[in-house]
Amino acid sequence: MGITLTEAAAEHVRGFLKKRGRGGGIRLGVKTSGCSGLAYVLEVFDEPEPEDVVFEDRDVKVVVDPKSLIYLDGTELDFTREGLNEGFKFNNPNVKDACGCGESFNV
């Protein structure tokens, strides 16, 4: 299945990397956190790690470590603006439940 990006997410990442002046793409992962168990991690990477699984969608490279991929496979990353708020949204088909604050999830 893999990881995909909406055009809005890809445009935001490409613009950020251009302003930054370097970067290979984005790294997605999960960490233990929050009231539901897992939280998303999103950061810029310069070079993928040897064990990373690399995806490319809409001219953006996305890397995921193998342990996180079991929780993220099939996820679509979107970038949304709602009023004054903007940010990435993870459309993850693996999520069974999420906490009320939206900060964590479980599968």
Side-chain angles (χ1 to χ4, degrees), residues 12-107:
H12 187 77
V13 171
R14 289 190 302 261
F16 178 81
L17 293 174
K18 185 176 181 179
K19 284 182 194 174
R20 186 174 183 253
R22 69 186 199 306
I26 56 172
R27 172 181 304 284
L28 300 183
V30 297
K31 66 178 181 177
T32 303
S33 180
C35 46
S36 289
L38 298 170
Y40 295 109
V41 176
L42 186 148
E43 57 192 16
V44 174
F45 76 91
D46 291 320
E47 292 292 328
E49 299 296 325
E51 68 275 4
D52 284 339
V53 180
V54 180
F55 301 96
E56 188 163 346
D57 189 32
R58 301 178 192 262
D59 296 324
V60 173
K61 285 190 180 170
V62 179
V63 299
V64 181
D65 68 272
K67 290 179 182 175
S68 294
L69 186 57
I70 58 176
Y71 303 107
L72 297 174
D73 196 25
T75 296
E76 175 190 63
L77 185 63
D78 193 8
F79 187 80
T80 61
R81 289 186 177 95
E82 296 175 10
L84 298 176
N85 298 319
E86 63 180 23
F88 287 101
K89 180 179 178 187
F90 291 79
N91 298 315
N92 185 343
N94 304 304
V95 171
K96 301 275 189 274
D97 192 27
C99 68
C101 65
E103 293 296 318
S104 64
F105 67 97
N106 66 44
V107 293

